[in-house]
Amino acid sequence: MSYADVRGLRVWYEEHGAGRPLVLLHGSYGSTETFAPVRSALVARRRLIAVDLPGHGRTVGADRPLRYESMADDLAALLRHLDLPQVDLLGYSLGGGVALRTAIQHPALVRRLVLVSTPFRRRGWHPDVLAAMSAHDERAAERMRGTPAHERYARVAPRPQDWPALWVRTGELLRRDYDWSAEVAALPMPVLLVFADADAIPVRHMADFFGLLGGDRRDAGADRPASRLAVLPGLTHDDVVTSPALPAAVLPFLTHVARAPG
């Protein structure tokens, strides 16, 4: 458990276990503790490196806006700082956006990519979720005081008074439009998409995402696509990342022999 100085940030990361590295990126207002419920299942097979994203957890935000693209560059710099030429990468929600941009911008660093409850374009969220995202601001931050997310932030953040600023910066990020469909279709590594069956993302977007990765086009037979889609039953956007079903889906994907995408 330590800090690394990269790109003007002091980035907090934690390491657990041994073996091939698997990097974990949490969602909005989260921290490395997000993965505590599934850590033991993952660490039995992997060397885990969990990272607090800029402004989250123990990583103080730099004096710059939150952007998926810049956070991907931050992560790439951290991996190079740690002398990790290639990793498996798992991102959840906001962290999934950072993981996806890392794979797009720094594909040589990512062996396999796992995206949990992550869309490839902003309009991939349900309309009511988009409306809620647009309302992330200082007033929302005040309403969230006393919640588990706020209590965790207040406990570990070097500057707990930055809670409202985090909501302002996150709101600015979440209101920005994006569509990465062309870049997704060109990804060179196998990708596992994991969603809950009652997710904040419509099932049709899940299918569209899988289609961009070469799935959902025909009866593959023995010619399986390199990428995979998992829709986990009985779960929501909030609890999919803490369910035992998540490592049960992720670990086989990380170890199976896959043909090259194409």
Side-chain angles (χ1 to χ4, degrees):
M1 301 180 185
S2 184
Y3 279 105
D5 294 321
V6 294
R7 285 173 39 88
L9 288 172
R10 294 194 73 221
V11 177
W12 174 265
Y13 68 96
E14 301 178 7
E15 294 196 54
H16 305 270
R20 187 185 293 275
L22 171 62
V23 177
L24 306 177
L25 303 180
H26 59 79
S28 296
Y29 314 110
S31 64
T32 58
E33 285 83 359
T34 296
F35 297 99
V38 297
R39 183 183 297 147
S40 61
L42 294 172
V43 80
R45 302 275 293 278
R46 314 293 292 195
R47 171 189 174 191
L48 301 183
I49 302 169
V51 180
D52 280 348
L53 295 171
H56 293 74
R58 298 165 180 84
T59 301
V60 176
D63 293 330
R64 64 180 185 224
L66 289 180
R67 297 290 183 267
Y68 291 112
E69 294 82 359
S70 62
M71 288 190 284
D73 288 341
D74 296 336
L75 178 63
L78 174 65
L79 297 181
R80 295 185 177 110
H81 174 85
L82 297 176
D83 194 24
L84 294 173
Q86 194 175 57
V87 301
D88 294 332
L89 181 55
L90 183 156
Y92 161 63
S93 196
L94 174 74
V98 178
L100 179 51
R101 286 307 313 179
T102 303
I104 290 169
Q105 295 166 214
H106 306 277
L109 289 175
V110 183
R111 188 187 78 102
R112 296 197 181 183
L113 177 65
V114 180
L115 302 176
V116 183
S117 293
T118 304
F120 64 85
R121 59 173 174 246
R122 185 174 185 271
R123 288 180 291 115
W125 299 99
H126 278 296
D128 59 327
V129 175
L130 285 176
M133 288 177 173
S134 296
H136 286 210
D137 56 18
E138 288 186 354
R139 290 172 297 180
E142 290 304 312
R143 292 193 298 269
M144 293 299 290
R145 288 189 182 275
T147 63
H150 173 252
E151 290 176 351
R152 180 175 56 244
Y153 182 86
R155 185 172 63 252
V156 304
R159 292 175 48 86
Q161 65 270 31
D162 287 349
W163 176 250
L166 175 59
W167 276 76
V168 170
R169 288 183 175 182
T170 303
E172 292 171 350
L173 170 66
L174 298 178
R175 286 188 289 271
R176 290 176 62 87
D177 196 21
Y178 63 91
D179 186 335
W180 302 327
S181 54
E183 294 158 301
V184 165
L187 286 173
M189 74 287 296
V191 181
L192 171 64
L193 303 176
V194 182
F195 298 97
D197 61 352
D199 214 308
I201 297 164
V203 173
R204 61 182 176 276
H205 185 81
M206 305 175 193
D208 289 344
F209 205 156
F210 191 44
L212 289 173
L213 296 169
D216 195 34
R217 294 181 181 171
R218 65 187 186 284
D219 180 5
D223 187 25
R224 297 180 57 87
S227 295
R228 294 183 176 183
L229 169 65
V231 181
L232 305 183
L235 298 171
T236 69
H237 184 80
D238 292 332
D239 59 17
V240 63
V241 73
T242 61
S243 169
L246 180 61
V250 168
L251 289 171
F253 168 74
L254 296 179
T255 56
H256 85 279
V257 177
R259 65 173 180 81

